[in-house]
Amino acid sequence: MVAAPKALLTQGPVVQIDETPVQVMGEPGRNNQQSFMWAFRGGPIGKPVRGFGSAPSRAAEVPRRVLSPPRAEAPRPFYGRST
């Protein structure tokens, strides 16, 4: 279920990405630090794909990880918490 939307995300003419700062309270190992909610929108015309995730930074590594082809040795989740 997760791999299908991710594969479709880059099959359209445009991929839109946005990160929004969020305050995370009570996150293990972090005392009320700022994190980022990521939103992705793309897909083929007529079949829009939207995905959401979170990450502790707004580094280019975050969208790169989502948009890169999957690697067999280290699959990463598309939705939910990033590590």
Side-chain angles (χ1 to χ4, degrees):
M1 190 82 162
V2 171
K6 183 177 175 182
L8 289 172
L9 185 66
T10 59
Q11 290 183 5
V14 175
V15 175
Q16 296 172 315
I17 304 171
D18 182 60
E19 88 283 342
T20 300
V22 293
Q23 185 73 29
V24 179
M25 300 174 75
E27 187 176 15
R30 303 180 81 203
N31 293 324
N32 299 334
Q33 296 291 320
Q34 186 176 55
S35 287
F36 295 87
M37 172 65 73
W38 287 81
F40 298 84
R41 180 177 172 226
I45 295 174
K47 296 183 181 181
V49 176
R50 291 172 185 87
F52 301 90
S54 65
S57 79
R58 62 186 303 237
E61 151 79 22
V62 177
R64 206 175 286 136
R65 189 170 56 225
V66 172
L67 298 175
S68 297
R71 293 186 224 169
E73 72 275 6
R76 293 281 191 152
F78 179 52
Y79 296 98
R81 186 79 184 137
S82 299
T83 55

